[in-house]
Amino acid sequence: MIKNMARGLAALSLALTPLAIPHAALAAPQAPAAAVVLPLAEAIKQIPVAAESRDGYERTKFKHWNGGIDPADGCNTRNEVLIAEAIEAPTVAAGCKLTGGRWISYYDGQEVTDPAKLDIDHMVPLAEAWDSGASAWTPARREAYANDQGAASSLVAVTARTNRSKADQDPAQWMPPAPEATCRYIEEWTADKSRWGLSADQSEIDTLTVYADGPCEDSVVHYNPAP
């Protein structure tokens, strides 16, 4: 939890750092969006229902990994997430080369000590985001989505095996193999869709609702709307 809060605070700190541009060009600072906390069932009801379309999708339309939230650290988004989520910090060498460290992949409960065996998963995959509204975004917003460290649930370090098994599927098609991951995954999926104002198709909503009405009925969704 502390690491997750640190990631969100670091992202906010970067967003509020003034740029070296003429005073006249500075816009009034934008207040951070208020946090939203809802029971899972209520959060699901607020997701717009719409048919999905993958027309025109290309993964390259979501630029990643970029320089991350701290361009001065020499680490891209992938490595910043690995450092933030490590339960035992890796050694960071020149060029942000990571060695050692220890992680728990919550999708399958596996302990990993080699960062090369981890993928950084977009909670809502890029293709699914495209299908659900990101096709209408600007390239800059798609880049912000693909590198989002403003919410700890947006990008997660998991075993390459589970990430590639998930691919671009939604919860109606794929769920983490570890039973203890079920409700966390449903909460974080719902939070990410809500944070970015993405829609869901009917089968996705139906699946989320089954969990909200059953094993995850006590779950709560926390998110801040994306800037």
Side-chain angles (χ1 to χ4, degrees), residues 100-112:
R102 189 160 61 95
W103 294 262
I104 298 294
S105 165
Y106 95 81
Y107 287 2
D108 53 4
Q110 295 298 303
E111 180 176 308
V112 180

PDB file of all heavy atoms in Angstrom, residues 100-112:
ATOM      1  N   GLY A 100      18.832  -8.365  -9.711  1.00  0.00           N
ATOM      2  CA  GLY A 100      18.356  -8.754  -8.393  1.00  0.00           C
ATOM      3  C   GLY A 100      16.947  -8.236  -8.156  1.00  0.00           C
ATOM      4  O   GLY A 100      16.200  -7.938  -9.079  1.00  0.00           O
ATOM      5  N   GLY A 101      16.589  -8.132  -6.888  1.00  0.00           N
ATOM      6  CA  GLY A 101      15.250  -7.708  -6.515  1.00  0.00           C
ATOM      7  C   GLY A 101      14.308  -8.891  -6.390  1.00  0.00           C
ATOM      8  O   GLY A 101      14.644 -10.035  -6.728  1.00  0.00           O
ATOM      9  N   ARG A 102      13.109  -8.599  -5.895  1.00  0.00           N
ATOM     10  CA  ARG A 102      12.124  -9.662  -5.701  1.00  0.00           C
ATOM     11  C   ARG A 102      10.727  -9.060  -5.863  1.00  0.00           C
ATOM     12  O   ARG A 102      10.450  -7.959  -5.383  1.00  0.00           O
ATOM     13  CB  ARG A 102      12.289 -10.290  -4.311  1.00  0.00           C
ATOM     14  CG  ARG A 102      11.472 -11.540  -4.069  1.00  0.00           C
ATOM     15  CD  ARG A 102      12.063 -12.340  -2.902  1.00  0.00           C
ATOM     16  NE  ARG A 102      12.060 -11.581  -1.674  1.00  0.00           N
ATOM     17  CZ  ARG A 102      11.090 -11.647  -0.742  1.00  0.00           C
ATOM     18  NH1 ARG A 102      10.066 -12.462  -0.918  1.00  0.00           N
ATOM     19  NH2 ARG A 102      11.161 -10.931   0.361  1.00  0.00           N
ATOM     20  N   TRP A 103       9.863  -9.807  -6.543  1.00  0.00           N
ATOM     21  CA  TRP A 103       8.502  -9.373  -6.818  1.00  0.00           C
ATOM     22  C   TRP A 103       7.539 -10.524  -6.571  1.00  0.00           C
ATOM     23  O   TRP A 103       7.916 -11.691  -6.650  1.00  0.00           O
ATOM     24  CB  TRP A 103       8.348  -8.939  -8.279  1.00  0.00           C
ATOM     25  CG  TRP A 103       9.121  -7.719  -8.671  1.00  0.00           C
ATOM     26  CD1 TRP A 103       8.672  -6.439  -8.752  1.00  0.00           C
ATOM     27  CD2 TRP A 103      10.506  -7.662  -9.044  1.00  0.00           C
ATOM     28  NE1 TRP A 103       9.674  -5.588  -9.139  1.00  0.00           N
ATOM     29  CE2 TRP A 103      10.813  -6.313  -9.333  1.00  0.00           C
ATOM     30  CE3 TRP A 103      11.522  -8.619  -9.153  1.00  0.00           C
ATOM     31  CZ2 TRP A 103      12.078  -5.902  -9.717  1.00  0.00           C
ATOM     32  CZ3 TRP A 103      12.792  -8.213  -9.544  1.00  0.00           C
ATOM     33  CH2 TRP A 103      13.060  -6.856  -9.815  1.00  0.00           C
ATOM     34  N   ILE A 104       6.287 -10.177  -6.297  1.00  0.00           N
ATOM     35  CA  ILE A 104       5.214 -11.163  -6.269  1.00  0.00           C
ATOM     36  C   ILE A 104       4.239 -10.805  -7.380  1.00  0.00           C
ATOM     37  O   ILE A 104       3.678  -9.705  -7.417  1.00  0.00           O
ATOM     38  CB  ILE A 104       4.469 -11.182  -4.913  1.00  0.00           C
ATOM     39  CG1 ILE A 104       5.416 -11.572  -3.782  1.00  0.00           C
ATOM     40  CG2 ILE A 104       3.279 -12.144  -4.977  1.00  0.00           C
ATOM     41  CD1 ILE A 104       5.949 -12.992  -3.861  1.00  0.00           C
ATOM     42  N   SER A 105       4.051 -11.722  -8.302  1.00  0.00           N
ATOM     43  CA  SER A 105       3.094 -11.545  -9.394  1.00  0.00           C
ATOM     44  C   SER A 105       1.710 -11.928  -8.875  1.00  0.00           C
ATOM     45  O   SER A 105       1.424 -13.104  -8.670  1.00  0.00           O
ATOM     46  CB  SER A 105       3.490 -12.440 -10.573  1.00  0.00           C
ATOM     47  OG  SER A 105       2.441 -12.569 -11.505  1.00  0.00           O
ATOM     48  N   TYR A 106       0.852 -10.947  -8.637  1.00  0.00           N
ATOM     49  CA  TYR A 106      -0.398 -11.279  -7.951  1.00  0.00           C
ATOM     50  C   TYR A 106      -1.374 -12.063  -8.817  1.00  0.00           C
ATOM     51  O   TYR A 106      -2.263 -12.735  -8.288  1.00  0.00           O
ATOM     52  CB  TYR A 106      -1.021 -10.019  -7.345  1.00  0.00           C
ATOM     53  CG  TYR A 106      -2.066  -9.272  -8.141  1.00  0.00           C
ATOM     54  CD1 TYR A 106      -3.392  -9.703  -8.163  1.00  0.00           C
ATOM     55  CD2 TYR A 106      -1.764  -8.078  -8.806  1.00  0.00           C
ATOM     56  CE1 TYR A 106      -4.373  -8.994  -8.845  1.00  0.00           C
ATOM     57  CE2 TYR A 106      -2.741  -7.365  -9.487  1.00  0.00           C
ATOM     58  CZ  TYR A 106      -4.043  -7.823  -9.500  1.00  0.00           C
ATOM     59  OH  TYR A 106      -5.013  -7.108 -10.168  1.00  0.00           O
ATOM     60  N   TYR A 107      -1.216 -12.057 -10.124  1.00  0.00           N
ATOM     61  CA  TYR A 107      -2.119 -12.833 -10.979  1.00  0.00           C
ATOM     62  C   TYR A 107      -2.019 -14.330 -10.685  1.00  0.00           C
ATOM     63  O   TYR A 107      -3.009 -15.046 -10.754  1.00  0.00           O
ATOM     64  CB  TYR A 107      -1.781 -12.617 -12.455  1.00  0.00           C
ATOM     65  CG  TYR A 107      -2.169 -11.287 -13.040  1.00  0.00           C
ATOM     66  CD1 TYR A 107      -2.770 -10.274 -12.280  1.00  0.00           C
ATOM     67  CD2 TYR A 107      -1.939 -11.018 -14.383  1.00  0.00           C
ATOM     68  CE1 TYR A 107      -3.111  -9.059 -12.840  1.00  0.00           C
ATOM     69  CE2 TYR A 107      -2.291  -9.803 -14.957  1.00  0.00           C
ATOM     70  CZ  TYR A 107      -2.863  -8.823 -14.183  1.00  0.00           C
ATOM     71  OH  TYR A 107      -3.198  -7.616 -14.759  1.00  0.00           O
ATOM     72  N   ASP A 108      -0.793 -14.789 -10.417  1.00  0.00           N
ATOM     73  CA  ASP A 108      -0.610 -16.226 -10.180  1.00  0.00           C
ATOM     74  C   ASP A 108       0.094 -16.544  -8.865  1.00  0.00           C
ATOM     75  O   ASP A 108       0.380 -17.709  -8.577  1.00  0.00           O
ATOM     76  CB  ASP A 108       0.162 -16.862 -11.345  1.00  0.00           C
ATOM     77  CG  ASP A 108       1.472 -16.153 -11.657  1.00  0.00           C
ATOM     78  OD1 ASP A 108       1.839 -15.204 -10.924  1.00  0.00           O
ATOM     79  OD2 ASP A 108       2.134 -16.543 -12.640  1.00  0.00           O
ATOM     80  N   GLY A 109       0.410 -15.512  -8.063  1.00  0.00           N
ATOM     81  CA  GLY A 109       1.028 -15.727  -6.760  1.00  0.00           C
ATOM     82  C   GLY A 109       2.481 -16.150  -6.821  1.00  0.00           C
ATOM     83  O   GLY A 109       3.043 -16.573  -5.813  1.00  0.00           O
ATOM     84  N   GLN A 110       3.122 -16.021  -7.984  1.00  0.00           N
ATOM     85  CA  GLN A 110       4.496 -16.481  -8.138  1.00  0.00           C
ATOM     86  C   GLN A 110       5.500 -15.425  -7.656  1.00  0.00           C
ATOM     87  O   GLN A 110       5.327 -14.224  -7.893  1.00  0.00           O
ATOM     88  CB  GLN A 110       4.785 -16.805  -9.602  1.00  0.00           C
ATOM     89  CG  GLN A 110       3.976 -17.959 -10.141  1.00  0.00           C
ATOM     90  CD  GLN A 110       4.250 -19.254  -9.415  1.00  0.00           C
ATOM     91  OE1 GLN A 110       5.391 -19.706  -9.345  1.00  0.00           O
ATOM     92  NE2 GLN A 110       3.209 -19.859  -8.864  1.00  0.00           N
ATOM     93  N   GLU A 111       6.564 -15.900  -6.993  1.00  0.00           N
ATOM     94  CA  GLU A 111       7.661 -15.027  -6.613  1.00  0.00           C
ATOM     95  C   GLU A 111       8.676 -15.005  -7.753  1.00  0.00           C
ATOM     96  O   GLU A 111       9.012 -16.050  -8.315  1.00  0.00           O
ATOM     97  CB  GLU A 111       8.331 -15.522  -5.338  1.00  0.00           C
ATOM     98  CG  GLU A 111       9.481 -14.653  -4.875  1.00  0.00           C
ATOM     99  CD  GLU A 111      10.067 -15.109  -3.548  1.00  0.00           C
ATOM    100  OE1 GLU A 111       9.291 -15.278  -2.588  1.00  0.00           O
ATOM    101  OE2 GLU A 111      11.296 -15.305  -3.480  1.00  0.00           O
ATOM    102  N   VAL A 112       9.156 -13.825  -8.101  1.00  0.00           N
ATOM    103  CA  VAL A 112      10.079 -13.660  -9.224  1.00  0.00           C
ATOM    104  C   VAL A 112      11.284 -12.869  -8.754  1.00  0.00           C
ATOM    105  O   VAL A 112      11.149 -11.845  -8.073  1.00  0.00           O
ATOM    106  CB  VAL A 112       9.398 -12.913 -10.398  1.00  0.00           C
ATOM    107  CG1 VAL A 112      10.357 -12.746 -11.561  1.00  0.00           C
ATOM    108  CG2 VAL A 112       8.133 -13.652 -10.843  1.00  0.00           C
TER     109      VAL A 112
END
